[in-house]
Amino acid sequence: MIQNQFIIKIFTGNISGHLMVVMITLVMITAGCNNESRQQAGNSSETKEQPVPVPQFDADSAFSFVKQQVDFGPRVPETKAHAAAVAWLTASLQQWADTVRVQDFVTRVYDNRIFKGKNIIASFNPGSKNRIFLSAHYDSRPFTDHDADAATHKTPIKGGNDGARGTGVLMEIARQLHLHPVNRGIDIILFDLEDYGPPQDTQTDQGSDWWGLGSQYWSANPHKPGYTARYGILLDMVGAADATFPLEGFSMYYAPDITKKVWETAVAAGYGDYFVFDKGTYITDDHYFINTIAKIPTLNIIHLDPTSANGTFYDPWHTLADDITQIDPATLKAVGQTLLTVIYQKSF
Ligand code: AHN
Ligand code: ZN
């Protein structure tokens, strides 16, 4: 009403007779409509369960982002291919995100050599306190130490699935977040130096802390002091045809409620063949360090296969066979569409 009076007052200046009556009527009708639509908007924001349109995850686009990384060559830290991947990932994310940071760090690997690493953090709505993060490692393992042919074990992996895949999914999510802005804080964190763990056939310390060096650094030194999030999701090896993602052990230990909700979301979206409710083993992966050091509940969507030759991961893991032919856009779609549904439709 206050607004109606205000508008009427403006019009009472130099307009005469019945024209003014017509105008006042028009203004009141328009104002009435506005009130009504505002009321509707108010109601829908109060009922949190109102469906929000979920963008379609473009699997071809994501596949092209995976291929681009594989085409650089193995993204082994401190190589040209790695630097090219960092430049491309950063420039691409800058087109889409509100802020992109490259976090430089120095770390020691299993044989005491010192490496320079770079974590890449792209943020949407950086001021929002209501945050979640999505993550994957983007580096490639310098060894194919699980290949049947021992002579090739010092060859770096091409890393179609191990490295490029999760990153490709997150690049497509970033593109969708740009096309369809969302009202909550999202960080996309690409970790470096996840895969420089000790080769299987070396005598050096096989301790699991040699894995996830980038996430260990970030967990102890987040890109923003005091950074926290409601929860995090890690993607690892989410690209192979007919992949299955059981409920990984540390995810169910540190983030059981969120894990179950994400799996339920996937099933409801039609991806129950991938997201299975079987109990999976415990994997020391980036999420383990985030849970224990940063203390942010974080789950891992990871392809596990206890029947494979290596006993844990899918067969081509850390072999020469893990290249772009390992990537099936249908699996990419299952993971990406599930994540978009979590982001756009769910309030957890
Ligand atoms: C361990 O083998 C202890 N962690 C492996 C995690 C990993 C490697 N994910 C991809 N590559
Ligand atoms: Zn690996």
Side-chain angles (χ1 to χ4, degrees):
M1 265 338 265
I2 291 168
Q3 197 195 9
N4 288 355
Q5 281 164 7
F6 176 70
I7 295 167
I8 291 162
K9 224 174 159 183
I10 292 171
F11 281 114
T12 46
N14 46 21
I15 304 168
S16 62
H18 58 269
L19 179 61
M20 197 175 86
V21 175
V22 172
M23 287 195 75
I24 290 171
T25 316
L26 274 175
V27 165
M28 291 192 77
I29 291 167
T30 321
C33 286
N34 281 346
N35 275 348
E36 212 169 85
S37 56
R38 227 178 288 130
Q39 227 165 30
Q40 275 169 8
N43 284 346
S44 64
S45 66
E46 276 157 33
T47 29
K48 289 215 170 88
E49 295 311 311
Q50 281 284 324
V52 176
V54 180
Q56 281 300 308
F57 184 88
D58 185 336
D60 293 336
S61 167
F63 183 88
S64 77
F65 295 147
V66 176
K67 185 166 184 315
Q68 174 67 76
Q69 293 171 78
V70 175
D71 286 349
F72 286 128
R75 283 79 63 214
V76 173
E78 295 196 355
T79 64
K80 271 191 180 163
H82 183 279
V86 170
W88 175 76
L89 291 167
T90 310
S92 305
L93 289 168
Q94 269 162 354
Q95 293 178 281
W96 304 320
D98 294 320
T99 61
V100 178
R101 294 187 190 207
V102 177
Q103 181 183 53
D104 290 290
F105 63 96
V106 173
T107 190
R108 196 162 61 91
V109 302
Y110 69 93
D111 62 358
N112 283 324
R113 283 176 299 148
I114 302 293
F115 272 79
K116 292 191 191 105
K118 289 175 189 296
N119 294 326
I120 301 169
I121 302 110
S123 298
F124 294 82
N125 301 322
S128 171
K129 293 256 178 291
N130 176 20
R131 311 198 70 73
I132 63 172
F133 74 80
L134 311 172
S135 59
H137 79 90
Y138 72 91
D139 62 305
S140 314
R141 181 159 179 75
F143 320 110
T144 45
D145 51 331
H146 280 81
D147 205 280
D149 180 2
T152 69
H153 283 193
K154 294 238 157 66
T155 314
I157 62 168
K158 296 192 179 105
N161 199 14
D162 192 356
R165 185 46 166 209
T167 304
V169 169
L170 296 185
M171 295 292 280
E172 174 60 9
I173 300 243
R175 198 178 72 90
Q176 292 294 339
L177 285 169
H178 171 69
L179 294 174
H180 310 279
V182 72
N183 204 3
R184 96 205 265 194
I186 312 271
D187 302 292
I188 289 181
I189 311 182
L190 304 178
F191 290 117
D192 200 358
L193 277 153
E194 188 278 336
D195 229 348
Y196 223 112
Q200 227 208 358
D201 35 16
T202 176
Q203 298 305 310
T204 47
D205 175 11
Q206 292 286 324
S208 51
D209 286 3
W210 295 120
W211 302 87
L213 298 173
S215 57
Q216 291 189 53
Y217 182 84
W218 177 84
S219 297
N221 310 277
H223 60 288
K224 272 188 175 182
Y227 173 86
T228 193
R230 302 230 317 280
Y231 61 90
I233 296 179
L234 174 68
L235 307 181
D236 199 0
M237 295 180 280
V238 292
D242 305 323
T244 45
F245 311 120
L247 301 160
E248 185 272 338
F250 289 123
S251 307
M252 286 302 279
Y253 184 81
Y254 289 107
D257 296 345
I258 305 294
T259 304
K260 281 183 253 169
K261 284 179 186 169
V262 170
W263 260 244
E264 279 159 12
T265 304
V267 171
Y271 302 116
D273 288 349
Y274 297 91
F275 288 78
V276 295
F277 279 87
D278 302 342
K279 194 174 179 306
T281 188
Y282 293 77
I283 305 297
T284 309
D285 207 337
D286 292 319
H287 72 313
Y288 172 77
F289 301 107
I290 299 166
N291 277 304
T292 55
I293 302 170
K295 306 226 171 354
I296 302 173
T298 303
L299 62 93
N300 193 5
I301 302 175
I302 182 167
H303 181 181
L304 298 176
D305 179 5
T307 68
S308 77
N310 62 63
T312 309
F313 304 103
Y314 86 127
D315 257 323
W317 179 71
H318 294 181
T319 73
L320 289 175
D322 181 10
D323 59 14
I324 192 70
T325 64
Q326 287 305 310
I327 303 305
D328 179 3
T331 310
L332 174 76
K333 173 77 177 173
V335 174
Q337 197 63 51
T338 296
L339 292 183
L340 286 179
T341 309
V342 168
I343 292 169
Y344 285 84
Q345 209 174 44
K346 303 289 171 180
S347 49
F348 64 80

